[in-house]
Amino acid sequence: MSTPGHGTPERRSFGHGDGRILLGHGSGGRLTASLFHDVFLPAFRNPALEAAGDQAVLSLAGTRLAVTTDSFVVSPLFFPGGDIGRLAVCGTVNDLAVGGATPACLTAGFIIEEGFPAEDLRKVVASMAEAAREAVVEIVAGDTKVVERGKGDGLFITTTGVGLVPDGLRLGPGEIRPGDQILVSGHVGDHGVAVMVHRAGLEPGGTLRSDSAPLTGLAQALLQAGPGAVRCMRDPTRGGLATTLAELAAASGTCFQVDEAEIPVRDEVRALCEMLGLDPLYAANEGKLVAVVDPRAATAVLEAARSHPLGREARWIGQAVEGAPSEVRLRTVVGGTRPLDLLEGEQLPRIC
């Protein structure tokens, strides 16, 4: 997610205490939104940035280009199901994909701490190359900086992506209408919990792994199944599914009604979250997408999602409804209702 706080133009409290940057300012939740609206947007204001999407869509020389950039600081660098290199490719490709763009190329910037093992760097770069082949995109330029020992944390990577957007394609929260259905492409929380468990040295058992994967094929399948019917797509990374839904509801000015029983969460993810006091709906994903769809195309879009390897567990989890705008109401499994809002603070730092 490149520019958090979609559709929340009001100025926010910059943070807590003495006004210094906190870990929570990188969470993708409410504090990140405050940073965007209070610092970056006023300084850089322009129509593309004000759209606050995962990618900026620009019309240049008769071509619609999508541009996005993201930095990756995950700890540890290697974890079940992936590593920082795979994340750096998939995360940026996915920001293009959910905008309906076909990735054209990536650039990569490396900040390496003196003393970092060359063999680990080779593994990360090989992983990036493999992920790029999966995503059918080339890494065409880059930059390398080395900082003094103790002045970094091993390796940070920044990737920038450029993609092509078809003429006439319109996606965004402004397209959402009451009655639209909300789809999630599979189990949520896998990435955030897998990284957290590996970081803590716990042995979860089972097959819990990060879901990091390039979503271009899945996103294109949904768009082709219902031409003009997919209103908006997002990948629920930092802040998880709950924060993504809250952002979309706020940006669209509609109310979302979501059923907890329909949201797919693996038993081991749910159990680990309960043990650690976490909410899986706020845990990060790196290979899932959320789509808001015209109900007239719901059957075709769901069939297309489930026909793709990354969408076999896709489900409808709720819909946009008439009512109080900019809210997400979760019908709980015990029959109650509770609101879902932007992530407050930092649930799991440095998970992407």
Side-chain angles (χ1 to χ4, degrees), residues 262-274:
E262 299 301 325
I263 299 174
V265 181
R266 297 184 196 281
D267 291 342
E268 53 202 311
V269 169
R270 194 183 305 280
L272 286 162
C273 284
E274 288 177 355

Side-chain angles (χ1 to χ4, degrees), residues 15-82:
H16 301 294
D18 60 2
R20 296 177 185 271
I21 299 299
L22 307 174
L23 275 175
H25 284 106
S27 68
R30 189 177 300 280
L31 289 180
T32 308
S34 74
L35 204 61
F36 174 67
H37 288 291
D38 288 355
V39 178
F40 300 126
L41 183 58
F44 304 141
R45 186 178 296 277
N46 60 72
L49 189 63
E50 288 174 351
D54 285 352
Q55 68 301 121
V57 177
L58 310 172
S59 295
L60 298 174
T63 301
R64 297 182 74 203
L65 295 179
V67 181
T68 188
T69 192
D70 210 340
S71 296
F72 297 84
V73 298
V74 65
S75 176
L77 299 177
F78 300 91
F79 47 83

Side-chain angles (χ1 to χ4, degrees), residues 308-326:
H308 191 277
L310 297 179
R312 287 174 181 152
E313 304 297 329
R315 298 185 192 180
W316 300 113
I317 61 170
Q319 61 183 339
V321 297
E322 298 282 359
S326 306

Side-chain angles (χ1 to χ4, degrees), residues 128-139:
M128 293 179 73
E130 180 180 352
R133 284 192 291 273
E134 289 179 36
V136 195
V137 66
E138 293 186 327
I139 300 172

Side-chain angles (χ1 to χ4, degrees), residues 91 152 173 198 205 290 320:
H198 189 59
V290 173

Side-chain angles (χ1 to χ4, degrees), residues 27 37 75 96 98 111 160 211 257 270 308 312 351:
S27 68
H37 288 291
S75 176
L96 295 173
V98 296
I111 298 177
T160 297
D211 60 350
Q257 186 82 50
R270 194 183 305 280
H308 191 277
R312 287 174 181 152
I351 43 76

Side-chain angles (χ1 to χ4, degrees), residues 174-212:
E175 305 296 319
I176 295 173
R177 301 288 182 269
D180 287 348
Q181 301 293 302
I182 303 169
L183 177 142
V184 65
S185 62
H187 294 93
V188 300
D190 291 3
H191 173 73
V193 176
V195 172
M196 181 272 297
V197 166
H198 189 59
R199 181 187 303 170
L202 300 176
E203 294 293 336
T207 57
L208 179 58
R209 299 165 60 85
S210 167
D211 60 350
S212 57

